[in-house]
Amino acid sequence: MTLNRRELLKVVGASLASLAVPSLNWAAQSPKYYTLPPLPYDYDALEPSIDKLTMQIHHDKHHQAYITNAINLLKSDAKLLEMPPEKLLMDLSVVPEKDRQGVINNVGGHVNHTLFWEIMGPKGGGEPTGALAKAIDSRFGSFDKFQKEMSTKAATQFGSGWAFLVVTNKGELEVVQSKNQDSPIMNGQKPILGIDVWEHAYYLKYQNLRPKYIEAWWKVVNWKAVSEKAATAMKG
Ligand code: MN
């Protein structure tokens, strides 16, 4: 039997896949809190605010890398690996000191990005309604003032990091800056909206123009998702 190129590739692919089975066995039982959540929309769904290639690399490569690194840090202690990541970030004392910064970076990276995909969406933008709108007005004066504060904090975060809208442990809204992948959860705050201002989040399309990216990002914020998170966070 003579195989053409396509058929040959199929056969080679199949045998490679079967070779990979032993190492995939472990992945098949990969810890439930440490699998890449599928993007809830297409890679190009946030165009033109965020381009398809940025979304592909950001979700498939960057987010996956945080997860892989987190697993490698935690896998020697099943108890840690089976803890909800948020719980781990709330009490880092359970993590051996030598691994703590790695956990901050990578478990933080996993949790931050999971939030990031959820609070964006096609047909996003505009302003929130209902209880969240009221809470924003009463805390910041108006939606515009809130937006300005969050944009400024995102634009002026020096180097890599985030700006988050959080619910504090007193149940109040606050906008905070965060360096690297530091999660507000470590400070007892519940992030309900976050903008990633690492260069990997915008550089392909916006290069050095971070404020342009921030301006475009507001157009893809999924306020329904943010409102649901706010309601849950405020319940305590
Ligand atoms: Mn990122």
Side-chain angles (χ1 to χ4, degrees):
M1 178 170 82
T2 316
L3 299 175
N4 66 29
R5 190 179 140 80
R6 182 192 295 253
E7 288 164 330
L8 187 62
L9 279 173
K10 241 185 182 168
V11 172
V12 171
S15 58
L16 281 179
S18 67
L19 276 178
V21 162
S23 63
L24 282 177
N25 264 345
W26 184 78
Q29 325 160 344
S30 75
K32 68 169 174 172
Y33 294 116
Y34 294 94
T35 48
L36 185 64
L39 203 61
Y41 33 78
D42 291 334
Y43 293 113
D44 62 359
L46 306 184
E47 298 254 13
S49 289
I50 305 181
D51 59 290
K52 181 179 177 182
L53 183 59
T54 295
M55 289 299 290
Q56 282 174 326
I57 299 173
H58 200 174
H59 177 268
D60 296 4
K61 306 295 181 190
H62 288 277
H63 190 171
Q64 181 60 60
Y66 295 117
I67 292 171
T68 305
N69 293 337
I71 292 172
N72 285 332
L73 280 162
L74 301 173
K75 68 182 175 191
S76 60
D77 187 340
K79 258 198 314 258
L80 296 184
L81 195 59
E82 283 156 22
M83 255 172 93
E86 293 81 4
K87 237 178 155 182
L88 203 52
L89 292 171
M90 273 186 259
D91 186 10
L92 287 161
S93 68
V94 298
V95 177
E97 202 174 345
K98 68 171 178 45
D99 296 331
R100 220 167 276 164
Q101 188 59 49
V103 166
I104 290 171
N105 295 345
N106 293 290
V107 176
H110 176 30
V111 167
N112 291 339
H113 286 85
T114 300
L115 173 75
F116 191 54
W117 313 131
E118 289 173 359
I119 55 82
M120 297 190 293
K123 298 178 193 154
E127 296 183 19
T129 52
L132 178 59
K134 266 189 202 153
I136 286 177
D137 283 348
S138 94
R139 169 65 181 83
F140 300 96
S142 68
F143 178 77
D144 284 353
K145 284 183 184 161
F146 151 70
Q147 198 175 31
K148 210 165 270 175
E149 180 174 340
M150 183 133 174
S151 292
T152 302
K153 289 207 164 140
T156 58
Q157 164 57 34
F158 185 73
S160 297
W162 295 72
F164 291 101
L165 175 62
V166 302
V167 175
T168 67
N169 50 17
K170 289 179 188 155
E172 288 164 351
L173 292 176
E174 203 169 298
V175 176
V176 299
Q177 273 181 333
S178 231
K179 70 169 164 47
N180 302 323
Q181 295 297 351
D182 288 4
S183 165
I185 294 172
M186 297 192 298
N187 306 321
Q189 301 164 332
K190 293 170 187 155
I192 58 170
L193 173 69
I195 176 168
D196 186 345
V197 292
W198 282 58
E199 286 182 346
H200 69 227
Y202 62 87
Y203 213 85
L204 290 179
K205 183 176 169 91
Y206 297 96
Q207 290 85 46
N208 58 317
L209 305 176
R210 190 192 285 186
K212 287 265 176 233
Y213 155 68
I214 296 167
E215 200 185 315
W217 173 80
W218 286 109
K219 295 177 189 152
V220 295
V221 172
N222 176 353
W223 285 111
K224 191 172 169 284
V226 181
S227 295
E228 286 166 9
K229 287 179 188 302
T232 310
M234 285 177 172
K235 261 184 231 157

